[in-house]
């Protein structure tokens, strides 16, 4: 669904960004499109966008209340949020608590193994290159972020992880791993690092504590079926439906 009276800024795989009503604001519209494997697998999951909007709005607001600044301002309607315009840092941060996905293939680790500590990984945001794993030295050398910014991103990622572990544990869900993005929010001559993008089952791996049932995008990736039901279950457990 397009919004013909708005100025489109960008369209990604799961969201459309429109110019906001005030300077330096953006309206973030959640689509029902589903993609995996760097857009090689695509489909439409009716209702996914509205569920992700509700879940992400709820979690972003909670994180704002913790004193961690995010780009989130407010949820506007079923599919839209008002957010601050930020300069996105082209690095995806993945925080891992339990072995799953690519880390199992890279190190021949059994899926489901508890990691001895939470692991923070960095990936360069580039669909063309397949979002390659990068080191801190790459990020600093290529000037994607400064050493100080990277240290702040690392510390914020672990704080967010600790908070989300508690949130999901309280509703009987294991937070296996998740992806974060950060950006620079300019204020006068200075800028601050803020959490951006979204927090939803599109970016999380979530398993039921008792059954191990996957409640996230892996249901789409792995052809497990009932993807929208899993997303709805997460929303219901969080109390946002």
């Amino acid at each position: 669904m397009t919004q013909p009276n708005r100025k489109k800024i960008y369209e990604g795989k799961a969201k459309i960004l429109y110019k906001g009503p005030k300077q330096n604001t953006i309206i973030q519209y959640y689509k029902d499109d589903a993609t995996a494997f760097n857009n090689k697998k695509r489909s439409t999951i009716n209702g996914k966008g509205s569920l992700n909007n509700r879940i992400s709005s709820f979690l972003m607001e909670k994180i704002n209340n913790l004193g961690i600044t995010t780009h989130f301002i407010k949820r506007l309607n079923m599919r839209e949020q008002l957010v601050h315009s930020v300069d996105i840092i082209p690095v995806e941060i993945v925080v891992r608590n339990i072995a799953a996905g690519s880390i199992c293939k890279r190190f021949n680790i059994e899926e489901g193994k508890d990691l001895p500590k939470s692991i923070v990984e960095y990936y360069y945001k580039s669909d063309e290159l397949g979002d390659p794993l990068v080191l801190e030295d790459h990020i600093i050398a290529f000037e994607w972020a400064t050493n100080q910014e990277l240290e702040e991103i690392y510390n914020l990622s672990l704080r967010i992880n600790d908070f989300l572990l508690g949130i999901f544990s309280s509703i009987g869900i294991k937070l296996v791993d998740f992806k974060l993005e950060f950006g620079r929010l300019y204020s006068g001559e200075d800028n601050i690092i803020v959490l951006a993008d979204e927090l939803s089952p599109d970016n999380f791996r979530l398993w039921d504590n008792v059954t191990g049932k996957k409640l996230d995008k892996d249901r789409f990736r792995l052809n497990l079926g009932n993807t929208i039901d899993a997303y709805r279950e997460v929303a219901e457990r969080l109390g946002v439906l």
Side-chain angles (χ1 to χ4, degrees):
M1 177 178 173
T2 60
Q3 305 288 335
N5 296 325
R6 293 180 179 169
K7 181 180 178 182
K8 184 191 291 188
I9 299 171
Y10 172 78
E11 181 166 359
K13 290 177 285 189
K15 293 184 291 295
I16 304 173
L17 304 183
Y18 296 99
K19 187 174 181 180
K22 295 183 179 180
Q23 187 175 7
N24 298 323
T25 64
I26 287 174
I27 293 172
Q28 188 165 259
Y29 176 91
Y30 284 75
K31 303 192 294 183
D32 284 340
D33 295 2
T35 65
F37 310 117
N38 287 316
N39 218 21
K40 292 176 182 176
K41 180 178 182 179
R42 288 178 282 183
S43 187
T44 300
I45 301 174
N46 293 330
K48 179 177 79 75
S50 60
L51 287 171
N52 281 351
N53 183 25
R54 285 181 178 272
I55 293 167
S56 188
S57 296
F58 173 79
L59 294 175
M60 285 284 189
E61 188 171 352
K62 291 284 189 184
I63 287 171
N64 273 337
N65 292 339
L66 277 182
I68 296 174
T69 306
T70 78
H71 74 158
F72 178 78
I73 300 173
K74 63 180 179 179
R75 184 168 71 91
L76 296 174
N77 52 48
M78 291 290 288
R79 288 186 179 271
E80 294 177 332
Q81 297 173 2
L82 183 66
V83 301
H84 293 289
S85 176
V86 300
D87 175 22
I88 291 290
I89 294 169
V91 177
E92 294 180 347
I93 291 80
V94 174
V95 183
R96 300 183 183 276
N97 301 305
I98 298 170
S102 64
I103 198 170
C104 295
K105 297 176 184 177
R106 273 184 276 137
F107 299 110
N108 195 27
I109 301 173
E110 181 183 358
E111 182 181 78
K113 179 181 175 62
D114 287 330
L115 298 172
K117 59 168 287 187
S118 297
I119 294 174
V120 179
E121 296 179 334
Y122 305 99
Y123 295 81
Y124 178 47
K125 277 175 57 67
S126 171
D127 287 343
E128 182 182 355
L129 298 176
D131 298 331
L133 182 69
V134 295
L135 303 177
E136 292 182 6
D137 283 349
H138 292 131
I139 296 169
I140 295 166
F142 298 142
E143 298 182 340
W144 298 329
T146 66
N147 189 63
Q148 182 178 345
E149 287 174 332
L150 194 55
E151 183 177 354
E152 187 171 358
I153 286 169
Y154 177 83
N155 290 331
L156 286 173
S157 297
L158 290 179
R159 280 186 66 192
I160 292 165
N161 182 50
D162 286 343
F163 173 71
L164 292 177
L165 279 169
I167 285 279
F168 285 112
S169 177
S170 71
I171 57 173
I173 293 175
K174 292 181 181 179
L175 178 60
V176 176
D177 59 36
F178 61 101
K179 175 181 76 70
L180 297 173
E181 293 188 25
F182 290 89
R184 301 178 185 93
L185 177 62
Y186 290 95
S187 176
E189 296 182 358
D190 299 322
N191 63 74
I192 56 174
I193 297 296
V194 302
L195 177 64
D197 196 39
E198 67 179 284
L199 297 173
S200 77
D202 272 9
N203 295 344
F204 295 146
R205 277 194 176 91
L206 302 169
W207 296 349
D208 181 83
N209 261 345
V210 177
T211 66
K213 176 185 175 183
K214 299 180 191 299
L215 300 169
D216 55 70
K217 192 176 175 180
D218 270 351
R219 301 205 67 84
F220 171 69
R221 288 191 191 96
L222 306 176
N223 298 315
L224 299 176
N226 299 319
T227 303
I228 195 64
D229 294 334
Y231 281 47
R232 187 177 294 109
E233 183 173 341
V234 172
E236 287 173 348
R237 291 200 200 186
L238 287 171
V240 300
L241 283 184

